[in-house]
């Protein structure tokens, strides 16, 4: 199994509070991704990174920011959490450029915003 | 852009039954195609892939053939087990696949009863 951990695994917070989720990899892969998973929507890409300090938006980036200060860590921040951000968040990594290269996923973080 | 449509679930069947999950895609060119599986409480993991037209991906008794004529990549297994109960996702690279970004179908939940 690819070495990907996410923390915390579960979090309950209140509307308006900031939240940071962490993804840590031990594979030294270049690309990292944050997805959210919601019933009826499958997985949707929030942000991704193609190197240290290099990030870009995905399809549902509003209300989220990311940072990658070192290869192994990719942080997802909700500046002011809203109930619509209640979801399961997955981090993924990928090694090389190329459409045949798969992504490897972390175990997920279940976030509840009250 | 590239997109994928898969049959909605849940699909409920008995052990040793035949399973088919339909997946059709819209894409520019002939991108790689993937099936991911998500077991309860876990992240996604790659089940199989096909990198070019007419390729057949296979793993754990599952198969899928990349059919460009029908733009399909249906997942099949001849005899399912209770342990195959999971959510299955069809995926392909986004049209601007820099960073190996993937787009996912909505997922199909499969429940296998003893």
């Amino acid at each position: 199994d690819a070495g990907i951990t996410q923390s915390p695994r579960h979090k309950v917070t209140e509307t308006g509070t900031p939240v940071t989720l962490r993804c840590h990899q031990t594979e030294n892969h270049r690309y990292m991704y944050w997805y959210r998973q919601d019933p009826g929507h499958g997985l949707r890409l929030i942000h991704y990174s193609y190197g240290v300090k290099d990030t870009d938006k995905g399809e549902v980036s509003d209300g989220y920011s990311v940072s990658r200060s070192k290869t192994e860590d990719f942080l997802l921040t909700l500046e002011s959490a809203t109930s619509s951000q209640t979801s399961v968040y997955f981090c993924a990594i990928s090694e090389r450029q190329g459409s045949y290269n798969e992504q490897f996923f972390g175990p997920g973080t279940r976030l509840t915003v009250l | 852009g590239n997109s994928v449509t898969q049959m909605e679930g849940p699909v409920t069947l008995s052990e040793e039954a035949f399973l088919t999950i339909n997946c059709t895609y819209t894409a520019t060119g002939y991108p790689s195609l993937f099936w991911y599986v998500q077991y309860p409480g876990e992240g996604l993991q790659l089940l199989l892939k096909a990198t070019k037209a007419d390729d057949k991906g296979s793993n754990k008794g599952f198969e899928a053939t990349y059919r460009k004529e029908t733009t399909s990549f249906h997942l099949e297994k001849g005899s399912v087990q209770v342990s195959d109960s999971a959510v299955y996702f069809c995926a392909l690279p986004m049209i601007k696949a820099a960073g190996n970004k993937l787009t996912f179908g909505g997922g199909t939940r499969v429940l296998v009863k003893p």
Side-chain angles (χ1 to χ4, degrees), chain B residues 31-89:
Chain B
S32 298
L33 300 174
F34 304 89
W35 275 103
Y36 281 82
V37 59
Q38 183 181 29
Y39 298 105
E42 299 183 9
L44 280 71
Q45 55 185 272
L46 181 69
L47 180 59
L48 55 83
K49 68 179 181 181
T51 58
K52 61 183 186 295
D54 299 325
D55 262 4
K56 178 184 285 188
S58 61
N59 187 27
K60 299 182 179 181
F62 289 88
E63 293 184 339
T65 301
Y66 190 157
R67 300 197 185 280
K68 62 180 181 180
E69 300 84 2
T70 54
T71 62
S72 65
F73 192 54
H74 303 326
L75 182 68
E76 298 180 336
K77 186 173 185 181
S79 178
V80 294
Q81 305 300 312
V82 172
S83 58
D84 293 323
S85 297
V87 181
Y88 294 82
F89 294 90

Side-chain angles (χ1 to χ4, degrees), chain A residues 9 31 33 35 37 41-43 45 48 50 57 59 90 94-107, chain B residues 31-32 34 36 38 41-46 49 51 87 89 93-94 97-107:
Chain A
R9 294 293 313 278
Y31 302 100
Y33 314 82
Y35 293 91
Q37 183 179 25
H41 291 279
L43 270 77
L45 182 67
Y48 70 101
Y50 46 95
K57 296 179 180 180
E59 57 184 315
F90 288 98
S94 184
E95 184 175 9
R96 292 183 298 272
Q97 175 76 11
S99 67
Y100 49 85
N101 288 310
E102 65 264 32
Q103 295 180 13
F104 301 93
F105 284 79
Chain B
S32 298
F34 304 89
Y36 281 82
Q38 183 181 29
E42 299 183 9
L44 280 71
Q45 55 185 272
L46 181 69
K49 68 179 181 181
T51 58
V87 181
F89 294 90
M94 294 183 181
N100 298 346
K101 293 179 289 184
L102 296 175
T103 187
F104 289 85

